[in-house]
Amino acid sequence: MATDLKDTTYPVDAAAVLRLLPDRPRLLALGEPTHREDTLLGLRNELFRQLVEEHGYRTITLETDCLNGLLVDAYVTTGAGTLDDVMARGFSHDWGDDAANRELVRWMRAFNEDRPASDRLRFAGFDGPLEITAAASPREALSELHAYLAAEVAAHLLPCTAETLNDLLGPDDRWTEPAAMMDPTRSFGRSPQARELRLLADELTELLDEQMPHLIAATTRDAWDRASLYARTAVGLLRYHHWMADTSPARLARLVGVRDRMMADNLLALAARGPVLAHAHNSHLKRERSTMTMGGAPLHWWSAGALASARLDEQYAFVATALGTIEHQGVTAPPPDTLEGLLYALPEPRFVVDPQALTTPLAPRVSPWFGYAPYAPSHLASTDGLVFVRDIPRR
């Protein structure tokens, strides 16, 4: 089996990935099985660089805060700010500390030097402004959306004033209360003010869409796109806070589902603008229904990739990454009857393989470390490509 399989593997490059696809997809997503490993992030950088330079992709989006990401986009497109500042403030989850992410942003800025605006490479975050312990206040998203509309639309069409929004929002710490993640009664998400804000966010979003021709003519398409991002984020955050305050058994499943829905909406908006390269955990980009156990209960929801794929069909492609060992985390050589074990038997340190060539019955691998998720053999049928990295070097 190993000899036959070796004949179907290719070096990791853009040509090898695109060879597995019927056409260049509008949204090409590369997943990873664990976070914060420079070996995997360096491979991502190398592959994305080729896809940008040789195949015309002009947006790179990562699993990071969509609003903070605007700072990174301004830097890579116009040089606004400094590299140190955008790495410190433009990424959530401390992703800005990773050397490979810094190198990606530095390269994107260099790529855009002296390039016309119409051909510049763009950056975007596609995650919501969410952390494990809390969700952001909807203040920034709602205030920026209202300000954009107020500057260009007749005042009598607006559903409220900026002062009304500010009064309803109140202090930000009522929204970011860390205890609310474990105690729904500490959440502000179902207060009368939050209910009123959900209605206003819906009306502001509707007005933005109704006035689209006028607003684009009066400002720019980029400005309207940014306002649309604020609208999606405001609606998503208010929905997330609503479920933070829920006390039913559906609470956790709805929270993870809302997050991936926010991710999917951002991916689809970016794809509407042009060809996009996305990078995140495999679990956010796969086509299958997601499952996990939290608080002793099983959760089921549809990931961002599943939602985007349902909308884009063949214009969405998902390339997963699997790996053999992470010695510094106690992940040693995989059992030979697993997917990773089958690939680990091959001599190359990294390669691309067609998932449809992996027809041998395979057992699921069990990870000894919570931070690494082995790739499920049952997902191969709906995976367009598989990158395998044999070993993550010891730090």
Side-chain angles (χ1 to χ4, degrees), residues 371-389:
Y372 157 62
Y375 202 65
S378 60
H379 294 172
L380 290 172
S382 61
T383 304
D384 297 297
L386 186 65
V387 173
F388 184 72
V389 176

Side-chain angles (χ1 to χ4, degrees), residues 330-382:
V331 180
T332 56
D337 62 343
T338 64
L339 168 63
E340 288 84 358
L342 177 69
L343 300 175
Y344 197 75
L346 300 179
E348 293 85 358
R350 60 177 66 178
F351 52 85
V352 176
V353 63
D354 183 350
Q356 310 316 311
L358 305 175
T359 57
T360 299
L362 297 166
R365 185 185 190 185
V366 178
S367 173
W369 175 50
F370 74 94
Y372 157 62
Y375 202 65
S378 60
H379 294 172
L380 290 172
S382 61

Side-chain angles (χ1 to χ4, degrees), residues 26-27 263-273 304 307-309 311-312:
R26 179 165 284 267
L27 176 52
M263 287 182 166
D265 287 347
N266 285 331
L267 288 173
L268 291 167
L270 292 170
R273 193 171 71 186
L307 295 170
S309 178
R311 294 288 186 91
L312 295 175

